[in-house]
Amino acid sequence: MKWRGDKIYFDTFGTSHSREIIITATGLPEHTIDKEAMEALLDRRRAKNTVYSTKRMEEDVPVIKRDDEMFFRAEIRNHNVRSGDYNDLYGIPRPSHADYAAHLMDGRLDFSGGGEFSGRLTALLCVLGSVAKNILKGKGVTVSAWVSEIGGVTGATYKDGLTDEMLSCGEAGKWTPAKEEEMLAVIERAAAEKDSVGGRVECAVVGLPGAVGGGSFGSLEGKIASILYIIPALKAVEFGLGFGFASAFGSVANDPLRMKDGAVTIVKNDAGGINGGLSNGNPVTLGVAFRPTPSIGKKQQSVDLVAGEDREIKIKGRHDACIVPRAVPVVEAAVAIAVLDAMLEGGKL
Ligand SMILES: Cc1cc2nc3c(=O)[nH]c(=O)nc-3n(C[C@H](O)[C@H](O)[C@H](O)COP(=O)(O)O)c2cc1C
C-alpha cells in the first residue's frame, strides 16, 4: 500500500500474517500526535465481537518509532495470526479476492490471510490518517464519514443535506443513526447464509477554504480518489451528485450563486464542493461503494492451480460478513491525508 501526493508520500510493509505491519511517511508538516484520537480512530476500525466483523481480534496498538520533520514511522504488531485456516486453500484462489491476480504477478500459491492485499493494512492508514485529521482539525477542517447504505437499506445521505449526526460520526460513530438496526439485520441475514454484503460510505470535509486543489491534472477529486482506491474492496467513488449527473439537466444540477450578508454563497451543493478541481468553499461531499467481502462460506467455483483442475470451495477462517462499518474510519483517514496534501501543496496551511 503506497501513495504519493504532491508533498506527502507513504509506504507500508508487512502482510496480514507477518510479525508486524509498518508505515513510513515523509512530507508531513510540523504536528503533535493526539494519542487518544489515534486510538479512537483505530478502535472504530477494530474487529469487535459483532455479527459483521471477523473473529480475528487484534489490539492494534501503534508504536510510533520516529516522528520528526523528516520522517514518520509506526508499527503495529500482529498477534492473532492463524495461517492454518488457509491450508485447504493452498493453490486455490478465492474468487474476487486478490489471490489470482497476485499469482499472475509473482507466481505465489500461498494465499494466507490475503498477504499484502489484506484489509489488515488499513489499520496503518488510520494511524497516519489520524495525524492528518488532527492537523486539519487545528485549521478548522473536519473529516467525517458514515455508513449510508448496507445491501439496499439506505440511510442518511449528503444529497439530502448534511446533518450534525453525520458530521459527529467523525468523532465516534459509524451508522446512520436511525438505520443501524435495519442495516445490522441485513448483515445478520448475510452472515447466517454464509454470505457477505456490500454497502456505501459517505464522507464530508467541512471547513475547507476555497481554491484548494488544482486545475487539470492536479484536481482535488483526482487526489482524493487516488488515495481512496488504495482501500481494499472499495470499488467506486463519486463526488456530489456523482452518477446522478448522468441523468440531470443543467438547470437543475447547477448550484446557484447568491449574495448573503455581503458574502458570496453557493446555495446548494450538487458539485460536492469542487469545481474545476478546486474546492469552492462548500463542504466536499463524496460517496464510495464497497463490494461484498470476497471470502464467504457458501460454495463457490474456483480452480486448483497446482493440479490444473476445477475445484469447488467453501471458505473457512475468520472473515468480515460486511466490511463497510469497519471501513468508515479508513475512508476518513484516507480523505484526510489527501486533503492535507492538497492544502500543503496550495500553501493553505
Ligand atoms: C477493513 C477491511 C477488512 C477486510 N476484511 C476482509 C475479510 O475478512 N475477508 C475478505 O475476503 N476480504 C476482506 N477485505 C477485502 C479484501 O482485502 C479485498 O476485497 C481484496 O484485497 C481484493 O481487493 P479488491 O476488492 O479491491 O479488488 C477487507 C477490506 C477492508 C477494507
Side-chain angles (χ1 to χ4, degrees):
M1 200 181 259
K2 63 174 77 170
W3 184 76
R4 188 184 290 282
D6 286 299
K7 298 285 179 189
I8 299 171
Y9 172 76
F10 71 80
D11 204 350
T12 65
F13 305 88
T15 68
S16 173
H17 289 175
S18 60
R19 203 175 70 114
E20 70 264 297
I21 50 176
I22 300 165
I23 186 162
T24 61
T26 54
L28 291 173
E30 213 179 71
H31 61 269
T32 49
I33 286 180
D34 181 341
K35 276 218 110 184
E36 243 175 67
M38 187 179 282
E39 273 158 27
L41 196 71
L42 281 161
D43 187 60
R44 288 166 60 204
R45 199 209 74 97
R46 187 174 292 135
K48 311 214 172 66
N49 208 3
T50 55
V51 58
Y52 53 83
S53 68
T54 169
K55 297 290 169 269
R56 175 176 174 181
M57 246 62 97
E58 286 282 6
E59 282 175 11
D60 284 348
V61 180
V63 181
I64 313 291
K65 291 282 186 177
R66 194 173 149 188
D67 185 23
D68 55 47
E69 262 174 63
M70 304 293 291
F71 198 66
F72 176 86
R73 178 188 165 109
E75 296 181 6
I76 297 177
R77 280 296 287 265
N78 281 331
H79 292 287
N80 201 343
V81 174
R82 261 185 17 201
S83 298
D85 285 346
Y86 287 81
N87 287 347
D88 294 348
L89 286 177
Y90 184 81
I92 304 173
R94 289 166 294 170
S96 286
H97 209 290
D99 302 350
Y100 182 60
H103 170 75
L104 292 178
M105 179 177 72
D106 58 16
R108 78 181 70 176
L109 292 165
D110 180 0
F111 305 123
S112 299
E116 71 273 39
F117 300 96
S118 168
R120 174 100 193 98
L121 295 176
T122 59
L124 296 171
L125 211 49
C126 288
V127 171
L128 189 64
S130 139
V131 177
K133 271 183 67 130
N134 203 36
I135 297 169
L136 292 176
K137 199 172 164 189
K139 298 286 167 191
V141 181
T142 56
V143 184
S144 319
W146 63 95
V147 177
S148 73
E149 180 183 340
I150 299 281
V153 174
T154 51
T157 171
Y158 58 75
K159 289 172 187 169
D160 298 330
L162 290 172
T163 65
D164 288 346
E165 275 173 328
M166 295 173 194
L167 299 179
S168 67
C169 282
E171 295 306 317
K174 54 170 85 86
W175 307 98
T176 289
K179 290 297 180 85
E180 176 171 351
E181 271 181 33
E182 251 183 276
M183 287 175 171
L184 278 170
V186 177
I187 302 174
E188 258 165 41
R189 216 162 45 237
E193 290 168 8
K194 296 191 187 322
D195 211 337
S196 62
V197 62
R200 177 179 165 98
V201 171
E202 293 193 354
C203 182
V205 183
V206 176
L208 192 63
V212 173
S216 319
F217 298 110
S219 84
L220 184 58
E221 288 135 316
K223 183 167 283 192
I224 294 174
S226 75
I227 196 168
L228 283 169
Y229 277 116
I230 289 175
I231 303 173
L234 188 151
K235 291 296 177 186
V237 180
E238 65 175 4
F239 291 85
L241 196 56
F243 284 94
F245 280 120
S247 54
F249 289 86
S251 52
V252 178
N254 292 351
D255 299 329
L257 294 156
R258 299 271 78 191
M259 293 304 297
K260 197 177 168 198
D261 303 327
V264 176
T265 54
I266 302 177
V267 175
K268 64 180 179 65
N269 193 17
D270 281 357
I274 304 175
N275 295 117
L278 295 160
S279 59
N280 65 17
N282 265 347
V284 170
T285 52
L286 61 102
V288 297
F290 280 95
R291 56 158 304 121
T293 322
S295 302
I296 55 173
K298 268 196 166 160
K299 202 195 289 175
Q300 296 187 87
Q301 295 183 334
S302 186
V303 292
D304 183 330
L305 294 168
V306 180
E309 289 169 355
D310 286 342
R311 283 285 294 273
E312 288 198 329
I313 55 165
K314 287 182 187 171
I315 296 164
K316 290 184 275 182
R318 303 166 297 172
H319 300 283
D320 299 69
C322 182
I323 57 186
V324 180
R326 294 183 60 211
V328 172
V330 183
V331 169
E332 266 172 35
V335 171
I337 296 167
V339 168
L340 176 63
D341 187 72
M343 286 185 78
L344 283 168
E345 165 69 358
K348 301 274 181 186
L349 215 71

